[in-house]
Amino acid sequence: MSQQIRKKKRQAQRKRILMLCLIFLTIIILGLIIHYRYTATGLLEQSEYKDVISSEVYFFKHSDYIEINNFSAQDLTSSEGSKVNGYTPLTKNKMSISSDYLNAQISTINQILKNKDYLHYNRIVSQIQNNFKGLDKLTSQLSSSQGKKKTYLVNASAYFGMSRKELIAKRKELKKIKQKKHRQIILSDLGMQSSGYVYGTVNPMEKVVTENVLPYIDKDFLESIQKIDQQDESALKIVDNDHLYAAFTVDSDTTIQNESNVKKLKQKVIGTSSRKKDVAYYNKLVKRVDLLWQYPQISIVKNNKSYPCYVVNVFKSGSKKIVVVMLKDYISVFANDNILKSDINIQSFQCYQVPKSAIKTEGKKQYLTLLQKGYFRKKVAVKVRCYDGRKAILSVEDNPDLSANSMYCTYP
């Protein structure tokens, strides 16, 4: 009996010793963790940060087209995509402009004037959305009246933004062209833009998705135009070689390169950051390259190459955000595109990448603790551009108080 008691006492004693050892070991481990967290440091290093998304890019070209009887791309004196001027014949022989085309354009202008649509072009945009939604081809309508309406909506896009006076002048110009049956095909004689890239086809989508329509777009419009026929038709088409506007959508919480600066610049250029003056705004940016250079740049990827463009407008539309950009270089690369599924580098800048744990938030401010001379701690206010996983991204431009090779606390 006494042996059993002694045995139980020894077992209890061993348990107490083991427990004390575990407690002691736990204290040591916790101490090491606390010491590690207190002494854990990192070194600030500059690197390039890129945020890449995939989206459909819609190109809003400044382009002209005209239909010519018995015309094809083989009639052109230059290969398609070549740059041409306004004073050189573009076809090998004299040709005649289609009377049906001219009559349709004159009829479209008459209807715009009659309906006073020039006072509210945004209503035509709404009609485009309603009439093309769910229908994949202009030629597959349910009735002739619907077909006529959709033809009007397509043709009217070419005249968006024109005043009553400008519409009357354009109608007069078309009537003058109609008087001459057989002619040299020269841009200046046809009231078309003075230079650009020449092509021998056009499609209904290109007729709708023009620079004139850009000020009136929203998320629903971009979704609806995908239903418009993209079947090419023979026509002489000129795409402006000076600039090219494009637009794409992102989620509403996505941040675009220096997005806040875009709104400030727009306010400065046109007097408002809203969309009320977008017609005048886009026109002014075309004429004032000195203003354009102030805007942030991102890039669109095509065939594994990145092409820079300027971010000129960012606005919310439903659950999405629409980004409008302008290309001033490499226009020929995209001149014949309507919609392009592409990668877009929406942010690219020099930055410091630190663990999330290194950023301490106090109220509305955020701080990074720097170590000076290896042990003096100094809190520095920082601006976090974004978070990427477990990393906080600090733009070099936004954080002038930070410098490369500075030591920081990982767990302040």
Side-chain angles (χ1 to χ4, degrees), residues 353-366:
Q353 298 190 36
V354 301
K356 268 186 178 181
S357 60
I359 303 298
K360 188 174 183 180
T361 301
E362 295 180 4
K364 294 182 178 180
K365 292 188 175 181
Q366 294 173 305

Side-chain angles (χ1 to χ4, degrees), residues 98-314:
S98 168
S99 295
D100 289 342
Y101 163 81
L102 293 171
N103 289 334
Q105 299 304 312
I106 292 169
S107 176
T108 297
I109 292 175
N110 287 338
Q111 191 169 341
I112 293 174
L113 291 169
K114 180 182 177 181
N115 298 342
K116 295 187 177 180
D117 285 335
Y118 54 84
L119 297 176
H120 38 69
Y121 284 113
N122 57 310
R123 294 185 189 177
I124 303 182
V125 172
S126 299
Q127 291 180 52
I128 290 172
Q129 293 171 200
N130 295 332
N131 280 273
F132 287 103
K133 196 172 291 183
L135 296 171
D136 63 351
K137 287 190 176 183
L138 178 65
T139 55
S140 64
Q141 309 307 328
L142 302 177
S143 68
S144 59
S145 61
Q146 283 185 319
K148 288 179 181 178
K149 185 171 185 178
K150 289 174 174 61
T151 300
Y152 166 70
L153 294 175
V154 169
N155 290 341
S157 301
Y159 306 108
F160 276 28
M162 285 191 179
S163 65
R164 183 177 182 275
K165 184 178 179 180
E166 289 170 328
L167 288 166
I168 292 171
K170 184 64 178 178
R171 182 176 61 184
K172 183 178 179 181
E173 184 179 69
L174 290 168
K175 287 181 177 179
K176 185 179 179 182
I177 294 171
K178 190 178 176 182
Q179 291 172 0
K180 192 172 182 179
K181 301 298 181 183
H182 213 57
R183 61 168 68 231
Q184 290 275 15
I185 303 302
I186 299 173
L187 295 179
S188 58
D189 291 344
L190 299 172
M192 301 175 75
Q193 56 195 44
S194 59
S195 66
Y197 301 110
V198 64
Y199 296 92
T201 59
V202 69
N203 63 61
M205 176 171 281
E206 288 180 294
K207 296 176 185 178
V208 173
V209 187
T210 68
E211 186 177 310
N212 298 335
V213 178
L214 183 61
Y216 310 100
I217 65 169
D218 59 16
K219 177 180 73 71
D220 293 333
F221 176 82
L222 294 181
E223 290 175 354
S224 66
I225 60 175
Q226 297 183 44
K227 314 295 190 303
I228 301 174
D229 185 14
Q230 294 191 56
Q231 184 64 45
D232 284 338
E233 308 163 0
S234 291
L236 175 67
K237 180 179 70 182
I238 302 295
V239 179
D240 197 335
N241 61 287
D242 174 73
H243 67 280
L244 175 61
Y245 277 112
F248 60 90
T249 61
V250 295
D251 292 335
S252 58
D253 59 351
T254 301
T255 302
I256 307 299
Q257 180 98 8
N258 293 331
E259 185 177 324
S260 58
N261 287 351
V262 174
K263 295 178 180 179
K264 290 176 184 177
L265 285 166
K266 185 179 180 183
Q267 175 78 36
K268 183 179 177 181
V269 169
I270 206 68
T272 178
S273 60
S274 72
R275 302 190 62 203
K276 293 179 180 179
K277 297 183 178 180
D278 275 3
V279 174
Y281 176 60
Y282 293 136
N283 288 337
K284 191 169 186 177
L285 290 181
V286 169
K287 298 173 184 175
R288 294 285 303 276
V289 181
D290 58 314
L291 296 175
L292 189 64
W293 288 337
Q294 302 174 48
Y295 286 79
Q297 291 190 62
I298 59 175
S299 60
I300 298 172
V301 178
K302 183 177 180 181
N303 297 330
N304 297 318
K305 291 185 179 180
S306 295
Y307 298 94
C309 53
Y310 296 93
V311 181
V312 298
N313 209 358
V314 181

Side-chain angles (χ1 to χ4, degrees), residues 366-390:
Q366 294 173 305
Y367 296 91
L368 182 69
T369 301
L370 299 182
L371 283 176
Q372 296 179 328
K373 296 184 179 179
Y375 50 89
F376 288 117
R377 294 184 169 221
K378 179 185 177 183
K379 285 197 308 182
V380 177
V382 295
K383 182 178 179 181
V384 178
R385 179 71 67 91
C386 61
Y387 291 96
D388 189 350
R390 295 183 179 181

